[in-house]
Amino acid sequence: FDLRDALEKVITTLKVKQDQNIQVEINGGDSLEVEADLVQLTRVLGNYHSNALKYAKSRVTWMMERKDDKAIIFVYDDGEGIERKYLKKIFNPFFQIPGKEKKDSTGLGLDSVSDLVMLHKGATWANSEGLGKGSSFFIEIPISQKG
């Protein structure tokens, strides 16, 4: 399936949760074909997009590219950022950044994202320059699941 099409559908579906002041854009090629589970990767993209919308001040930017035999996708939000000491912990089950706990969150979203990406023989991780400097979340999966 075309990863860009899947992402555009996620963005359209979640538009109702989007603050009107937040701009969303997708950078990269027109399409990126991958051999993967559409339902599960749509869940991954949906989780990352929902989180980006939740924390962004004014902008969410997606980027996707093919690099050799891998698809690289990342989302950046210009929100509050994440302290470095929490960047790996946020993928642990039930973990929520102290003081940032959300009443509508179980702390399982990023854990399930990580599991779904690993099932695709991929990796996912986060980066932030610190508080007030936004966050980026990355996904890297093989273009083909064969082999």
Side-chain angles (χ1 to χ4, degrees):
F1 67 92
D2 185 342
L3 202 49
R4 185 181 181 99
D5 286 345
L7 177 58
E8 287 173 352
K9 287 176 184 165
V10 163
I11 291 169
T12 300
T13 301
L14 293 176
K15 190 115 176 136
V16 296
K17 291 185 173 186
Q18 183 177 329
D19 181 312
Q20 289 182 326
N21 297 322
I22 296 176
Q23 300 296 315
V24 176
E25 64 183 11
I26 303 173
N27 295 325
D30 293 331
S31 70
L32 181 57
E33 294 282 328
V34 294
E35 180 185 278
D37 185 316
L38 173 62
V39 173
Q40 301 309 329
L41 276 185
T42 297
R43 287 180 59 198
V44 169
L45 297 173
N47 183 284
Y48 275 159
H49 191 64
S50 179
N51 284 348
L53 291 176
K54 193 183 310 182
Y55 294 104
K57 290 181 202 166
S58 63
R59 190 182 59 188
V60 172
T61 304
W62 282 91
M63 182 71 178
M64 56 180 56
E65 66 182 8
R66 180 181 181 142
K67 189 171 183 181
D68 300 322
D69 61 347
K70 296 184 187 222
I72 312 291
I73 309 108
F74 79 85
V75 60
Y76 165 79
D77 70 73
D78 64 350
E80 56 194 56
I82 303 169
E83 290 181 72
R84 287 197 183 278
K85 65 183 176 182
Y86 298 129
L87 286 174
K88 290 187 180 178
K89 291 181 181 180
I90 59 175
F91 293 97
N92 294 341
F94 305 110
F95 181 81
Q96 294 186 46
I97 295 173
K100 302 291 182 191
E101 298 91 344
K102 302 282 184 189
K103 66 178 181 175
D104 61 342
S105 176
T106 62
L108 291 172
L110 293 178
D111 174 56
S112 67
V113 160
S114 179
D115 288 346
L116 292 172
V117 171
M118 284 193 301
L119 286 171
H120 283 85
K121 302 174 191 152
T124 188
W125 65 94
N127 190 29
S128 177
E129 296 300 316
L131 294 178
K133 298 185 178 178
S135 303
S136 296
F137 287 82
F138 298 81
I139 304 162
E140 180 183 84
I141 61 167
I143 294 292
S144 172
Q145 293 297 306
K146 294 177 183 169

